[in-house]
Amino acid sequence: MSQLNPIRYLRSMINKEVYVRLKDGSEYIGKLIATDTTMNLVLDEAKRLQGGGKEVKAVLGKVFIRGSMIQYISFEPEKAAYEALTG
């Protein structure tokens, strides 16, 4: 059984919608357009969420998220926002 490389998997998700929760509790959703070996992310069409991902706090456009600040990333944004809310 081969090991799944998380960086390679993350790169395979480029141009897909992702949900990102940061260590400070802030939440973002957007299209992943770039990443690197330290898991820094660039999201396009990004939105900052509030209320457990239930409502949009701000429409941001293109954002850079530092990899060291990420708590988790979900490739099922609607499901992740729901789980954050019900928790």
Side-chain angles (χ1 to χ4, degrees):
M1 186 158 89
S2 67
Q3 292 281 331
L4 179 62
N5 180 320
I7 302 299
R8 189 174 298 152
Y9 183 73
L10 185 59
R11 286 185 178 149
S12 76
M13 293 297 145
I14 288 180
N15 293 319
K16 294 195 169 60
E17 189 102 343
V18 296
Y19 168 92
V20 181
R21 183 175 178 104
L22 303 185
K23 292 177 182 177
D24 69 1
S26 57
E27 303 164 289
Y28 297 85
I29 193 169
K31 184 169 72 169
L32 179 64
I33 59 171
T35 187
D36 64 14
T37 57
T38 59
M39 294 183 87
N40 293 324
L41 308 178
V42 179
L43 302 182
D44 197 13
E45 302 169 13
K47 297 175 186 121
R48 182 162 181 192
L49 306 175
Q50 66 182 14
K54 215 172 177 187
E55 55 187 281
V56 175
K57 182 174 183 178
V59 176
L60 304 170
K62 194 176 288 188
V63 298
F64 174 85
I65 299 175
R66 189 174 180 96
S68 63
M69 298 305 297
I70 296 171
Q71 183 176 21
Y72 68 85
I73 303 168
S74 173
F75 303 106
E76 298 177 351
E78 296 80 17
K79 182 179 176 184
Y82 173 77
E83 288 175 1
L85 180 63
T86 61

